[in-house]
Amino acid sequence: MSVSLKHFATSSLLFTAALLIHQTPVVAAEFYLDWVEQAEAGQWPDGSQSGSFDIGGGTIDIDFTVGDGIDFVGFSDSGVTPAVTSVLNGANSDEDPSLHLQVDADQVGLGDGDYAITMNTYFKGYSDPLEEVSFWLHDIDISLRGLWQDRVSIMGYLDNQVVAPNFEFLDPSANTAERVDEFTLDGIDAVENDSSAGDVQVSFTQSIDRWSLTYTDGDDISRLINPNGHGIGVGDIYFRLPEERDDSKNIPEPSASLALLLVGACFSGLKGYLRSKLSV
């Protein structure tokens, strides 16, 4: 029984020491690509189809692949797109604009190809793949007269492996957009440009090193028509990057060192006590 008591006491002291010793944790820092900031700095002039942004110790590179049968166009006072404007930013204030993508295709595209544009977003120079990447899509809808239909397909990637996104509708009861498959959204009802009814948050629960957004027309309109121009807004891009662990900080702090001394003293005293009991 004395031996069992000794083992129990030793285990308890070691467990206490493990709790008291401080190790520097890995913490995540949040960053985001702010469209207002980039536009004001001249980093995204109206009509640009590529840009590079230094954020959080790395670089976000964006470019567009444009099919032969589709063009970027302007809308209202947006000018030529892609452009940072408040035309399609849901119910957000004018101080919180989006990247407006307005397109006009010769035919209904349905997917990637000649009648679609693809926004390619690459995360470069970071020590690790980015975590918790997210952004808002604005104004996912359809023409009530069947003249066009928003279709947006989004894929994340990690080392060329596809990562599916999560879609969260700001107002699920609005029924203005639907999920076609794990990557694709279709607009199914008309939405006013300044309404949040067509807003959908896109996020990734897995780490990614890039993502793509393909924009075209869906299949709820006639495939024989030449669709009218239509557009969506892409909001600020948020992400988290785990900071590198600094092993030089994994040294017990003074409080932890004191705890170790106390544990050692208690263990020494207990050892003497048990020895005296066993000798009786």
Side-chain angles (χ1 to χ4, degrees):
M1 181 177 292
S2 297
V3 174
S4 298
L5 176 61
K6 183 177 179 180
H7 286 171
F8 173 77
T10 302
S11 299
S12 298
L13 288 170
L14 291 175
F15 177 72
T16 302
L19 290 177
L20 291 174
I21 295 176
H22 171 74
Q23 296 289 323
T24 302
V26 175
V27 295
E30 184 177 54
F31 301 92
Y32 71 103
L33 191 163
D34 184 335
W35 288 119
V36 171
E37 178 181 329
Q38 301 304 330
E40 291 179 348
Q43 296 299 307
W44 195 277
D46 290 358
S48 296
Q49 293 188 18
S50 65
S52 185
F53 315 97
D54 295 330
I55 301 172
T59 302
I60 300 179
D61 287 347
I62 296 175
D63 63 44
F64 285 87
T65 302
V66 182
D68 292 338
I70 190 171
D71 293 302
F72 278 113
V73 295
F75 174 77
S76 184
D77 58 351
S78 70
V80 63
T81 69
V84 177
T85 77
S86 58
V87 174
L88 297 180
N89 65 337
N92 295 339
S93 69
D94 289 349
E95 288 71 37
D96 188 13
S98 68
L99 183 66
H100 181 182
L101 311 179
Q102 190 81 12
V103 299
D104 189 1
D106 296 336
Q107 296 181 25
V108 174
L110 301 182
D112 188 20
D114 285 342
Y115 309 105
I117 62 98
T118 298
M119 177 179 177
N120 306 296
T121 303
Y122 306 89
F123 304 123
K124 299 180 178 179
Y126 296 97
S127 58
D128 296 287
L130 302 190
E131 300 179 346
E132 299 180 30
V133 175
S134 68
F135 55 92
W136 283 93
L137 294 176
H138 302 290
D139 200 52
I140 308 297
D141 62 348
I142 189 173
S143 162
L144 288 178
R145 293 184 294 166
L147 302 178
W148 51 263
Q149 180 183 24
D150 289 331
R151 170 166 286 185
V152 183
S153 297
I154 296 173
M155 293 184 178
Y157 301 89
L158 178 61
D159 295 329
N160 293 321
Q161 297 297 311
V162 176
V163 177
N166 293 324
F167 295 130
E168 182 176 350
F169 298 87
L170 180 61
D171 183 2
S173 65
N175 294 320
T176 57
E178 66 177 2
R179 188 168 188 161
V180 178
D181 56 38
E182 60 180 338
F183 304 106
T184 305
L185 297 168
D186 273 0
I188 57 174
D189 199 0
V191 175
E192 294 295 329
N193 291 342
D194 58 355
S195 169
S196 61
D199 288 4
V200 181
Q201 186 182 45
V202 181
S203 62
F204 297 91
T205 56
Q206 299 181 48
S207 300
I208 59 174
D209 52 35
R210 64 186 176 98
W211 57 266
S212 66
L213 179 157
T214 298
Y215 183 39
T216 185
D217 285 278
D219 58 2
D220 290 329
I221 59 176
S222 171
R223 300 187 186 186
L224 302 178
I225 68 169
N226 178 344
N228 283 12
H230 53 109
I232 59 171
V234 180
D236 297 338
I237 302 170
Y238 288 80
F239 63 92
R240 286 186 179 273
L241 176 68
E243 295 179 352
E244 292 185 0
R245 184 189 298 276
D246 185 351
D247 291 333
S248 67
K249 296 180 181 180
N250 290 336
I251 301 173
E253 294 182 352
S255 59
S257 298
L258 178 59
L260 285 175
L261 290 174
L262 290 174
V263 169
C266 291
F267 183 78
S268 178
L270 180 60
K271 182 178 180 181
Y273 172 78
L274 291 172
R275 183 178 297 164
S276 66
K277 287 295 186 180
L278 289 171
S279 64
V280 175

